[in-house]
Amino acid sequence: MATYTPMIEQYLAVKADYQDAFVFYRLGDFYEMFFDDALKASRELEITLTSRQGGTENPIPMCGVPHHSAQGYIETLVARGFKVAICEQVEDPKLTKGIVRREVVQLITPGTVMEGKSLFEKENNYIASISQFSPQVFGFAYVDLSTGEQKVSIVADGFHTVLNLISMLGTKEVVVAVDFDETLCKQCIDRGVLTMSLENEVAADSPLFGSLCDDQLLVTSGRLLSYVLRTQKRSLDHLQAVEMVELQNFLQMDYFSKRNLELTETIRSKGKKGSLLWLLDETQTAMGGRRLKEWVEHPLLSRDQIEKRHFLVETFMNHFFERENIRDMLGGVYDLERLVGRVAFGNCNARDLLQLKKSLQAVPAIKGQLMEMTSDVTTSIATEMDPCTPVSSLIEEAINENPPLSIREGEVIKTGYNADLDQYHSASKNGKNWIAKLEQDEKEKTGIRTLKVGYNRIFGYYIEITRTNIHLLNDDRYERKQTLANAERYITPELKEMEVIILEAEEKSVELEYQLFIKVRDEIKRHIPALQRLAKQISELDCIQCFAKVSEDRGFVRPELSDDREVVIKNGRHPVVEKMLKAQEYVPNDVELNDREREILLLTGPNMSGKSTYMRQVAHIVILNQIGCFVPAEKALLPIFDKVFTRIGAADDLMSGQSTFMVEMIEARNAMVHATRHSLLLFDEIGRGTSTYDGMALAQAIIEYIHAEIGALTLFSTHYHELTILEKSLCRLQNVHVRAVEQHGKVVFLHKVVEGPSDRSYGIHVAELAAMPPSLIVRAKLILEGLESSDTNVLLYPPEPVQLQLFPGEAGESELEMKPVAVVEDWLAKEISELAVLEMSPLDALNTLYALQAKLKNI
């Protein structure tokens, strides 16, 4: 059996408890890694792999990073889904015989990051836990350690809802019991979870559980709390009481619907730009940005809450100057939630406290602007805001305005805050003045003008004299201290005595400043609940002013809530597309739905005409209404929907190996099973992923099922024009279509939705717009005409008749080169016959002739 040195034995004992983490083992000024950790870290971090003797014949692989720059390396590993265990010395080497005791002081994981590049200011960093109680019932708890927010829910309708929550929250890490189903774990990873962690222990009787009394909620929250406390190894005073979230109290959207509607990120780029959140985000604070994302993902069902937000938005729109003043003031408010988290976690510095002070000092002015709006609601908000004056006053009194980054270097505490500290500062300052005078005095005594008094950390204070001047030194007080290449350094009894005074004062000063800073930090901890309440109030205020600004800038109107299931949208617009168009004009459209004769709108029209945009437009207006914002329309009457289901766009699910059509059927099935009479269904081109007759049959069956069994308000777009006949048999279905006209043989999309069915799809015209080869377009038109007239001969290739050769070449040669003349003639005749010659200018005629000539050359 291998015999290792005591240091390696100690490392292996630590590593045994953290098999799934990189152990950063502190040795002097470095964090070292050994064995497999070293091999993997050298690859992941691109650092040099070395080795050391550890008591055995074979060298032990080793690599390391400097402790002062370790944060960047840790962030890199955590961002890739790894865990890092920080193992520090917990004894003073000067007071210890033998090897210094070391312990892991913190486990950093993707879900427990408290600082660094892994945290984005307007996004939460969630770690979650899942507990399974039956095949369909799960507990789901999550916490953002950087802000202290804790929530828990019971999911009673299967694991797919848990996966939806994981995706919606962007959960970085999931904690489960050791015996949790491996298949479900894999599904979590497929949904984007970086790290799966195991925890069997369940914390009990914590005051953080608040009013939770359900055993399932306690087990789920307790498992997560136990994991967080075990890995962070410190008091987490900023953790808020666990809040129970009842999912049925919010508008429900599954993962597919949120993805299809591009609420927080786009389907193609996975980025924020182009999403509804991107359009809305005019927040001024990081807290407000996170709150806005939460509101977009959790639209309200409570009529009172929706109308309260509408009223506040209207109030802010009616008070432009006060709103703009509040926006400016919010711009000076830092991230209170995460600042408080850093205070509680013990990793804040003096600059963090200055940011906290500046933020709190802005609150009284914000309160004043709210009071000036002369509304009972804004007055109530202002009255409830506590600016936490004791905290800002304490920081103002204690902390220097320009402190260093480190709290262990001094220059943190203000003069006048502590008498003992002032004495040390005075001694240090007077000593340095004495030294400055000493230098001048010694120059005069010795006559050496280049003499200087200096200091370094190793040798302390010294008098430096160049070799060329040593012969001028005849004073016995000078004692040689250090020899340099071109100079000698000396010390005198007086300088030695003052050195002791200065260094002792500086050492005691730095230590006392550190202790005073810790006391200030601990005093602020007592105000954490009040600071967190204030942070929530400011974040909500930021969202309301954001809604008001967007609504005013983009011409949104306050929607009216209907008492029944009636939808009336006058000149509605897709807010994101409208913003992306910039100077171009967006074509608005009306929408009317009710539970009488217009429960289902069957939408037909050509590709690229705007059917999908029209459907997303309706969904965005519904969501904007239920998050409390105004909507992009001239007028809007809307009910409160309980669920929104969409099937828009086509994409394979490569992760789970599902085709486009399978994804389509899964999304449709989810709506068929879970939709209610008060839901909104948006289905785009159902059935196109299979054969024409299969697809048409499925589409018709789905429409009939919605009409007969569900009764939800529905927009159903299709290319199957044969389905428009359903208007005659389904009493609550109406046909509408997107208008398009044909001019000079070209299709022009009007993007206007009007009553009645569309008569054709213009698919070949769209292909022509995409610059398909002209011969291909001509051939497609002939095939279409043949299919429409049931002439199957047109499907044969090559088409007849073929060009006759006046001078035929060798056998087979002419066949390779011949062109379908009849096809070209038919196409050319059609092109010429459709020209509006009398409306052309001479220049237009020449351009048209040139274009026809160019096409003929390509055939």
Side-chain angles (χ1 to χ4, degrees), residues 319-338:
H319 293 81
F320 173 82
F321 293 108
E322 291 87 349
R323 185 186 81 225
E324 288 302 304
N325 288 337
I326 288 175
R327 278 181 60 81
D328 290 342
M329 295 166 187
L330 289 174
V333 175
Y334 292 89
D335 194 339
L336 286 176
E337 288 179 326
R338 283 182 171 159

Side-chain angles (χ1 to χ4, degrees), residues 308-379:
K308 180 181 178 181
R309 287 186 190 173
H310 284 164
F311 175 79
L312 281 170
V313 172
E314 187 171 53
T315 301
F316 273 66
M317 289 178 70
N318 292 336
H319 293 81
F320 173 82
F321 293 108
E322 291 87 349
R323 185 186 81 225
E324 288 302 304
N325 288 337
I326 288 175
R327 278 181 60 81
D328 290 342
M329 295 166 187
L330 289 174
V333 175
Y334 292 89
D335 194 339
L336 286 176
E337 288 179 326
R338 283 182 171 159
L339 285 173
V340 168
R342 288 169 63 82
V343 168
F345 204 69
N347 62 345
C348 71
N349 58 31
R351 296 185 185 183
D352 292 328
L353 297 191
L354 290 180
Q355 291 182 355
L356 179 58
K357 179 190 74 172
K358 183 179 179 182
S359 302
L360 296 179
Q361 288 175 341
V363 174
I366 293 173
K367 286 165 62 76
Q369 291 297 312
L370 289 170
M371 298 291 284
E372 287 186 17
M373 290 186 183
T374 62
S375 160
D376 290 343
V377 179
T378 56
T379 299

